[in-house]
């Protein structure tokens, strides 16, 4: 089925979509520190494809998926976005298909007949359609129960014999810190879901086929992200990641000789979640003790404004050569940081201010900040370049303009180092003014990690074949 689809000639991107994709790729590269693309080769070069994508970060989700694939994607977008005539023209030019949600306007659900027809036309033409089956964007560490729309599109397309066999692929988006500038994101393409068995059932029992395929899509999407089935345990798993995942990564680097690119953070997070579920079923008191210890430790960190990383560094002996190199880097980088801060401070801070003031939901924050950055950075950079041109001429203005993006990224990296240093200095000050506190924080952290190590060993013994 996939082979048949792949044999078709790939759809050519129109010029407008290519320009929008190029611009969005630049800003995605600028906004995120790392975009890890996993198994993108599963998308055939030609033929109809339906992508079923989780929806954790609003518009950024569509920018990411379209940016990492070389084929044009026709996304289903809420019809509420099409109310503005200018936005509607832009979305239509990008190939977006309006879909009506019950929570937006229950009186217009009949309009979705047109949405289905538009999907069928795109698939018949051998194009790629992207759908968010959860129906809404959300900040939970799981795939919410998906709607049946994706299954109905697939099965009705197949039943109509409209064209080449369709390739159905689940897609998972995972953000390390969805609201943070220069964070990491993972775009993972899952195993294609075979459609033929469900199409055969659909001829006899359409409702059963839709339900079964919906369940398969749900499982496929869950396999590509960190899926925490019980929402009330999300805070525990996040706390465990913050305190323990770094220790696990360092253990893999030191004991197994793995490099940073060889370690999959999502796999570690998923194993932590699986271990929590394992102990919740067999030893809930252990989970309760861990949660209580984590809350107490994090409470102390918050009270004295200290990061866990600073406490962890107390237990690590940094070689003298490394300390000298860090000091040298800090000294050399200070002028670059000062320059980058002066020329990029306002373009960086203004979008963050706008996002904090206007974003209504957590999932809107990053999109609002990115859109504000797309306007603020070019506008303010152009203003600054004009000032330099007026003062120093064309050559100075050209050099200044070229320095802006690189100096901004270097300044932001330096700022992260300053933040870590400030936390360590804060911990040093706390240890001087509250002599026993630093030792207490270190002792609590070591006790937590020791308990987690015992839990890890018990989990691995109980689930032979599992690994971190």
């Amino acid at each position: 089925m996939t082979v048949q689809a792949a044999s078709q000639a790939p759809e050519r991107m129109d010029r407008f979509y290519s320009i929008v994709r190029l611009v969005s790729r630049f800003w995605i590269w600028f906004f995120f520190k790392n975009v890890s693309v996993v198994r993108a080769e599963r998308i055939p070069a030609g033929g109809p494809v339906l992508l079923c994508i989780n929806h954790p970060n609003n518009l950024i989700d569509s920018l990411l998926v379209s940016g990492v694939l070389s084929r044009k994607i026709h996304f289903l977008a809420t019809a509420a976005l099409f109310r503005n005539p200018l936005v509607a023209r832009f979305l239509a030019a990008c190939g977006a298909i309006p879909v009506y949600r019950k929570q937006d306007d229950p009186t217009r659900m009949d309009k979705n007949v047109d949405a289905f027809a538009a999907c069928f036309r795109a698939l018949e033409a051998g194009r790629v359609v992207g759908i968010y089956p959860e129906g809404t964007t959300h900040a939970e560490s799981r795939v919410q129960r998906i709607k049946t729309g994706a299954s109905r599109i697939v099965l009705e397309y197949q039943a109509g014999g409209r064209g080449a066999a369709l390739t159905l692929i689940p897609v998972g988006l995972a953000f390390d810190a969805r609201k943070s500038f220069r964070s990491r994101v993972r775009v993972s393409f899952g195993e294609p879901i075979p459609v033929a068995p469900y199409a055969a059932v659909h001829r006899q029992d359409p409702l059963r086929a839709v339900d079964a395929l919906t369940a398969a899509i749900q499982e496929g999407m869950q396999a590509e992200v960190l899926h925490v089935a019980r929402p009330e345990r999300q805070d525990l798993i996040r706390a465990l990641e913050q305190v323990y995942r770094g220790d696990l990564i360092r253990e893999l680097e030191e004991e197994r000789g793995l490099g940073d690119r060889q370690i999959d953070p999502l796999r570690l997070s998923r194993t932590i979640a699986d271990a929590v579920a394992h102990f919740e079923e067999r030893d809930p008191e252990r989970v309760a003790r861990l949660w209580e210890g984590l809350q107490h430790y994090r409470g102390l960190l918050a009270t004295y404004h200290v990061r866990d990383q600073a406490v962890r560094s107390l237990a690590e002996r940094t070689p003298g050569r490394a300390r000298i190199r860090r000091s040298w880097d800090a000294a050399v980088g200070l002028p670059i940081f000062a320059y980058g801060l002066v020329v990029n401070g306002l373009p960086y801070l203004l979008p963050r201010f706008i996002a904090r003031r206007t974003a209504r939901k957590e999932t809107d924050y990053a999109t609002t900040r990115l859109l504000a950055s797309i306007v603020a950075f070019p506008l303010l950079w152009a203003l600054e370049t004009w000032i330099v041109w007026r003062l120093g001429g064309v050559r100075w203005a050209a050099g200044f303009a070229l320095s802006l993006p690189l100096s901004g990224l270097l300044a932001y990296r330096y700022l992260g180092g300053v933040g870590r240093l400030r936390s360590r200095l804060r911990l040093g000050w706390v240890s001087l003014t509250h002599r026993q506190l630093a030792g207490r924080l270190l002792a609590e952290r070591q006790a937590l990690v020791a308990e987690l190590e015992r839990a890890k060993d018990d989990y691995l013994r109980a689930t032979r074949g599992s690994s971190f």
Side-chain angles (χ1 to χ4, degrees):
M1 186 168 60
T2 302
V3 174
Q4 180 184 353
S7 64
Q8 289 193 355
E11 175 192 7
R12 293 184 63 183
M13 286 188 192
D14 58 84
R15 182 173 298 178
F16 181 79
Y17 184 90
S18 297
I19 293 172
V20 171
R21 178 176 177 270
L22 181 64
V23 173
S24 66
R25 277 173 63 88
F26 168 79
W27 285 104
I28 288 295
W29 167 83
F30 185 80
F31 197 77
F32 291 99
K33 182 178 181 179
N34 177 265
V35 178
S36 174
V37 184
V38 183
R39 297 182 295 269
E41 68 277 2
R42 285 177 169 170
I43 306 298
V49 179
L50 183 67
L51 304 177
C52 294
I53 314 160
N54 68 313
H55 208 5
N57 218 358
N58 211 317
L59 176 64
I60 285 180
D61 299 340
S62 297
L63 297 180
L64 279 167
V65 177
S66 60
V68 303
L69 294 181
S70 58
R71 297 185 62 182
K72 181 176 180 178
I73 305 174
H74 299 265
F75 287 100
L76 271 72
T78 173
L81 295 175
F82 289 77
R83 291 171 185 167
N84 183 295
L86 186 61
V87 175
R89 290 187 65 182
F90 174 79
L91 292 174
C94 291
I97 300 170
V99 61
Y100 293 84
R101 302 184 304 177
K102 191 173 183 179
Q103 61 263 40
D104 294 332
D105 190 349
T107 65
R108 306 194 69 183
M109 296 298 291
D110 58 318
K111 291 283 187 179
N112 282 331
V113 173
D114 297 332
F116 271 58
C119 290
F120 295 145
R121 286 195 297 272
L123 294 171
E124 287 168 18
R127 297 175 180 175
V128 182
V129 175
I131 185 172
Y132 298 101
E134 294 168 293
T136 185
T137 182
H138 64 91
E140 297 179 356
S141 297
R142 65 186 183 115
V143 178
Q144 292 186 342
R145 186 171 182 178
I146 67 173
K147 316 298 184 189
T148 60
S151 298
R152 289 162 54 203
I153 290 171
V154 171
L155 294 172
E156 290 181 27
Y157 170 84
Q158 293 292 109
R162 294 176 167 87
L166 180 146
T167 302
L168 174 60
I169 297 182
V171 183
L173 302 175
F175 296 83
D176 270 5
R178 83 182 70 238
K179 295 171 63 176
S180 297
F181 180 69
R182 303 301 292 168
S183 63
R184 299 173 184 269
V185 60
R186 183 179 190 266
V187 186
S188 179
F189 297 90
E191 185 86 26
I193 298 173
V195 175
Y198 303 97
V201 175
H202 184 261
R203 289 191 288 270
Q204 305 297 325
D205 190 342
L207 185 60
R208 185 161 68 91
V210 167
D211 289 343
L213 183 54
T214 300
I217 295 172
Q218 177 99 32
E219 291 177 5
M221 293 171 63
Q222 289 173 185
E224 302 307 313
V225 300
L226 172 63
H227 178 75
V228 182
R230 295 179 57 186
E232 64 271 18
R233 282 305 182 198
Q234 289 181 22
D235 290 340
L236 168 60
I237 292 168
R238 286 172 183 163
L240 287 170
E241 286 181 314
Q242 291 169 3
V243 172
Y244 192 46
R245 195 170 73 172
D247 294 80
L248 290 174
I249 290 174
R250 189 172 64 255
E251 179 183 320
L252 291 172
E253 290 174 341
E254 293 175 356
E255 295 185 4
R256 302 186 190 178
L258 298 178
D260 182 59
R261 294 183 178 274
Q262 295 174 291
I263 299 172
D264 185 354
L266 178 63
R267 182 182 176 187
L268 290 177
S269 298
R270 188 179 290 151
T271 307
I272 289 172
D274 291 343
V276 169
H278 170 84
F279 287 116
E280 277 186 328
E281 182 179 346
R282 293 165 177 79
D283 192 356
E285 292 183 2
R286 187 177 210 170
V287 177
R289 286 197 309 272
L290 274 174
W291 182 225
E292 183 179 353
L294 281 165
Q295 286 180 303
H296 187 260
Y297 173 66
R298 295 171 77 197
L300 286 173
L301 293 177
T303 299
Y304 293 97
H305 306 287
V306 176
R307 296 182 183 180
D308 171 67
Q309 188 178 32
V311 180
R312 185 174 61 193
S313 67
L314 286 177
E316 299 173 356
R317 293 184 177 181
T318 305
R321 184 179 300 177
R323 289 198 298 269
I324 293 172
R325 182 178 57 80
R326 288 177 185 174
S327 300
W328 172 254
D329 290 346
V332 172
L334 183 58
I336 300 174
F337 166 69
Y339 173 77
L341 182 64
V342 170
V343 300
N344 291 282
L346 186 58
Y348 170 76
L349 293 173
L350 183 60
R352 188 170 71 167
F353 173 80
I354 293 172
R356 286 180 174 177
R357 288 299 184 93
T358 61
R360 292 173 296 176
K361 300 187 299 182
E362 181 182 344
T363 52
D364 294 337
Y365 179 91
T367 293
T368 304
R369 186 172 178 181
L370 175 62
L371 294 177
S373 297
I374 291 174
V375 176
F377 273 95
L379 185 64
L380 293 172
W381 279 352
L383 177 62
E384 292 174 353
T385 303
W386 178 81
I387 293 172
V388 173
W389 171 67
R390 295 289 293 178
L391 295 175
V394 175
R395 290 185 179 180
W396 278 100
F400 175 78
L402 291 173
S403 74
L404 286 170
L406 182 60
S407 65
L409 294 175
L410 291 175
Y412 187 81
R413 182 177 179 182
Y414 190 96
L415 187 63
V418 169
R420 291 188 291 273
L421 176 61
R422 184 173 55 198
S423 182
R424 291 178 183 177
L425 292 175
R426 174 69 182 171
L427 180 59
W429 173 252
V430 167
S431 65
L432 288 175
T433 56
H434 302 77
R435 294 184 178 181
Q436 296 181 347
L437 180 62
R440 181 182 172 190
L441 281 168
L442 181 58
E444 289 215 13
R445 190 184 195 284
Q446 289 175 333
L448 268 174
V449 172
E451 176 62 28
L452 289 168
E453 284 290 321
R454 288 191 291 271
K456 181 191 74 172
D457 293 339
D458 292 344
Y459 171 72
L460 293 177
R461 278 194 297 269
T463 57
R464 296 177 182 176
S466 298
S467 63
F468 277 86

